Amino acid sequence: MIDSATAPAPPPPVEVGAYSVPGLGYRILAGGARLIPLLILLVGLPVAALTFLQSHGISLPVPILTVEVAGVLISVLSTARYIVKPTAAYGPVSVATSAVTIAYLLVLLAQASYTLGVPGSSVGISVGYARLLELALLVPTFALVAGLVTTVEDLASPKERLPFDYPA
Amino acid sequence: MAAPTPPRTRRPPGLYRLARALRRVSVVIVVLLLLFLATVGYSAFELVRSSPQQSGGYSAGFDSNDTISVTGSLSVSNPGWYPLSGFTLSLRILNASGVYLGEVSDGPVTLAAGATTSVPIALYLPVAANGAAESLLVQNQYLDLGVWGNATYAYLFPVSVHFDQNKSWGAPFSDFSVSVGTPSVANGSTTVPVTISYSNDASFAEAGSLGMTVRSSGGTACGGATYPLNVAPQSFYYETRNVTLATGCSIAGGSVVAVYSGNGVNLALPPEPLP
C-alpha cells in the first residue's frame, strides 16, 4: 500500500482550452536555432568524416553527395515540422520527415557492408552494419506512425492537441 | 453569490497519447542505439589494440603422409564489453610461383567479453614427389601467407579481416646436389664415388639416413648407398660414398633418387639428373 504522504504527485491536469501557442516569428527563430545542431549532426560531422577518409585514399562507404542531400533534407523537414507544429500540417510534415529518413536509411542499407582497404598494405577490413540500420529503421517508423496518428487526430478534432502541446 | 467554477480538466485524448507514446518510443530507441554505438566503438578500439598474438612461436617438422607440418597457436583476447562470436581463422599458403600449397581453418569459436582464447594452427604441406609443395624440400623461397579472420562482433556487426604476408622458408635439403666422381674398376666391378651435398636451412634437425639409388637413363637401378644423417638446423652436409654399379649398367644421363628416412617418415627427394 502506498502512503499518500510519500506517493509521487500526479502530473498537473491541463485546463481545457488553456494554451499558449508561440508566434510564428518565434517559432521560425527557434526552429532556425534548432537547425544548426541538426545540420552539424546530419551533414557536418558525416561529411567531415567521409572527406577525411577520401583524403587518405580510402574508399567511401556512401557518396558524400548522398549524405549532404539527405542530411539537408531531413534537417529542413525537421525544422519545418517544428515550425508548423500548431497547425494541421504538423502530421503530414512529420510523415514526410520520417519517410525521407526511412528512404535515406534504405539507401544506406542497400550498401551496408564497408570494405576498408588500407593504402600501401595488403590489409583489408570489411564490416557489415545492415542489422544496425535495420534497428535504426525502427526510429523513423515509429515517428511515421505517430505522424499518421496526429494527422488523423487533427482531421477528426482540429486543435484538440494544442492545450497539451502548448499548455498555458 | 455563486461559488467559483473549478477548472474543468481531463486527460489528453487517446490519439494524442498514442502519438506521444510512439514518439517517446522512437526517442528511447535513438538514445539506446547511440549508447550502444558508443560502447561498441570503445570496445572495438580495445579489441583492435589487443591484436591477436602468436603464442609460443611456430614449429615445423616432417610429419606422416609425406608432409611437412607447421604448427602453432594464436592467442586472441577480447577485452571489450561485447562477445566475438563465430570467430573463424583461415590460412592459405602459396609458394613463390603462386602455386597453392595448403590451407587450414579453425573455428568457429565464441569469445566472450573479457575472455582470451588460443586458436591452434596446424598446417600440413604435401612434400611428396610431384606434390605441390615438393619444392619446399630443396628450395629456399618466400611463401605467400594469406590470412582470413571472420567473426560477428557485438551481435550486429559481421567483420572480416584479410591480409597477406611473405614468409621466408628455409628448405631442409636446400640446394641438394649430387656429383659423381670418376668410376674405377676392380675385380670386374665398377665403383663410382657419389657425393651428396646440401644445406639444412630449416628450423628443425634431420636425424636418420638418406638412401640413395643411382639409376640409368632407362630407370634401371644401378646401385645405391646409404648416407647417415644427423644434421642440425642451419648446417651444411657433404658426404661421399662409393657405389658399386651393377654389371653393364650405365649411369650416363641417368638420375639419382634419394629417400630420407628419419623423424618417423620416409620422404623421397626430387630426382637429380646425372650428366
Side-chain angles (χ1 to χ4, degrees):
Chain A
M1 189 173 169
I2 299 173
D3 183 357
S4 61
T6 58
V14 177
E15 291 182 27
V16 174
Y19 62 90
S20 168
V21 177
L24 180 63
Y26 174 83
R27 297 203 306 272
I28 290 174
L29 197 65
R34 199 169 163 274
L35 182 63
I36 295 169
L38 275 177
L39 285 174
I40 291 173
L41 195 69
L42 295 177
V43 182
L45 292 178
V47 168
L50 292 174
T51 307
F52 174 80
L53 290 179
Q54 197 175 40
S55 67
H56 286 75
I58 298 171
S59 63
L60 301 183
V62 60
I64 291 178
L65 185 65
T66 305
V67 175
E68 287 173 341
V69 170
V72 168
L73 204 54
I74 292 169
S75 302
V76 168
L77 279 170
S78 178
T79 303
R81 191 179 72 123
Y82 174 82
I83 292 171
V84 301
K85 189 173 182 180
T87 71
Y90 177 63
V93 175
S94 295
V95 170
T97 308
S98 304
V100 169
T101 308
I102 287 172
Y104 180 39
L105 288 176
L106 287 176
V107 167
L108 296 181
L109 189 61
Q111 46 201 359
S113 176
Y114 177 48
T115 300
L116 171 69
V118 180
S121 82
S122 64
V123 178
I125 302 170
S126 176
V127 182
Y129 45 90
R131 286 186 182 169
L132 177 75
L133 291 176
E134 285 166 3
L135 277 179
L137 272 170
L138 287 174
V139 175
T141 303
F142 276 107
L144 186 137
V145 177
L148 286 175
V149 171
T150 301
T151 304
V152 171
E153 183 187 15
D154 284 346
L155 284 174
S157 310
K159 299 187 177 180
E160 178 189 55
R161 60 185 171 83
L162 295 184
F164 307 100
D165 279 341
Y166 301 99
Chain B
M1 184 177 165
T5 306
R8 288 187 299 132
T9 60
R10 63 178 174 94
R11 293 177 69 199
L15 286 178
Y16 180 89
R17 279 185 284 129
L18 177 60
R20 186 177 61 186
L22 288 167
R23 277 193 292 270
R24 284 179 179 173
V25 167
S26 70
V27 169
V28 167
I29 294 173
V30 166
V31 171
L32 290 178
L33 280 178
L34 289 177
L35 285 174
F36 175 69
L37 273 180
T39 54
V40 166
Y42 173 76
S43 295
F45 177 72
E46 290 294 314
L47 178 66
V48 170
R49 279 209 320 176
S50 68
S51 57
Q53 304 290 322
Q54 183 182 318
S55 53
Y58 289 104
S59 63
F62 295 114
D63 216 306
S64 56
N65 297 323
D66 294 342
T67 58
I68 284 180
S69 63
V70 180
T71 58
S73 65
L74 203 64
S75 173
V76 183
S77 63
N78 177 17
W81 297 337
Y82 295 99
L84 195 65
S85 55
F87 176 66
T88 59
L89 185 71
S90 302
L91 283 89
R92 184 215 57 196
I93 291 192
L94 307 179
N95 71 8
S97 309
V99 175
Y100 168 84
L101 302 183
E103 66 183 10
V104 64
S105 275
D106 276 297
V109 293
T110 292
L111 196 54
T116 299
T117 191
S118 181
V119 180
I121 292 168
L123 192 59
Y124 297 91
L125 304 171
V127 290
N130 300 319
E134 183 186 29
S135 66
L136 293 183
L137 288 175
V138 294
Q139 187 182 335
N140 292 344
Q141 54 194 289
Y142 279 97
L143 302 177
D144 178 16
L145 178 67
V147 181
W148 285 264
N150 292 290
T152 298
Y153 189 61
Y155 312 105
L156 298 183
F157 302 98
V159 181
S160 171
V161 179
H162 166 246
F163 60 90
D164 288 310
Q165 271 190 333
N166 279 329
K167 291 282 186 186
S168 65
W169 170 259
F173 300 96
S174 175
D175 297 327
F176 181 80
S177 71
V178 178
S179 61
V180 179
T182 306
S184 60
V185 180
N187 300 325
S189 298
T190 304
T191 303
V192 290
V194 178
T195 300
I196 286 180
S197 66
Y198 67 88
S199 171
N200 179 9
D201 290 338
S203 59
F204 50 91
E206 293 153 356
S209 63
L210 201 61
M212 180 271 294
T213 304
V214 182
R215 295 181 184 276
S216 69
S217 58
T220 306
C222 294
T226 299
Y227 296 73
L229 298 182
N230 192 4
V231 187
Q234 314 301 321
S235 300
F236 191 71
Y237 180 83
Y238 184 94
E239 189 73 36
T240 302
R241 285 280 188 276
N242 286 323
V243 176
T244 302
L245 303 179
T247 307
C249 201
S250 170
I251 61 172
S255 62
V256 169
V257 176
V259 175
Y260 168 72
S261 299
N263 306 88
V265 297
N266 290 306
L267 204 55
L269 303 185
E272 276 290 306
L274 291 174

